[in-house]
Amino acid sequence: NLSVSSAAVFTPTVPTGTKYMEIRVESSVTAAVAMRYLITGGTPTASNGMALNHLDLFDITDAQNIQNFKVIRTGAGTHNLHITYYK
C-alpha cells in the first residue's frame, strides 16, 4: 500500500527483480481526477501526467518503467495505491 498523503511526489519501494507491477487506486475523490503519474522519468504535477481515478486498475511492465514510476495527488483527500509486484 502506498499512501499518497501530501502534495509531494511519491515513488514506491520496488523489490529487486520486479518486471511487472499491478496497481489499484482507492481515493475519497470520486468526482475528479484523484492522482496523476508518469513513467517517463519526469515529474508529474497536479495538471501534468496520466490521470488516475478512484478504482482504476492498471499495470506497468518493463523494469525501467517501473523504476521511473512517480505519482502525485491532484487535491486533498485520502489516496492509496494498492500495488502487487511480480518477478
Side-chain angles (χ1 to χ4, degrees):
N1 184 51
L2 177 64
S3 177
V4 183
S5 57
S6 72
V9 173
F10 287 80
T11 57
T13 301
V14 178
T16 302
T18 298
K19 295 179 180 161
Y20 178 84
M21 190 165 76
E22 182 179 66
I23 303 169
R24 168 72 71 183
V25 177
E26 284 190 27
S27 176
S28 62
V29 176
T30 59
V33 173
M35 294 177 266
R36 292 190 179 273
Y37 77 95
L38 287 173
I39 59 171
T40 61
T43 302
T45 67
S47 60
N48 179 46
M50 301 298 290
L52 291 174
N53 297 299
H54 178 60
L55 297 181
D56 280 355
L57 177 66
F58 68 105
D59 58 0
I60 299 174
T61 59
D62 185 76
Q64 191 63 52
N65 291 338
I66 292 167
Q67 291 300 319
N68 286 341
F69 177 78
K70 295 178 186 174
V71 64
I72 192 169
R73 71 180 197 181
T74 59
T78 302
H79 311 283
N80 290 293
L81 299 179
H82 300 281
I83 304 171
T84 304
Y85 302 98
Y86 299 90
K87 293 185 175 188

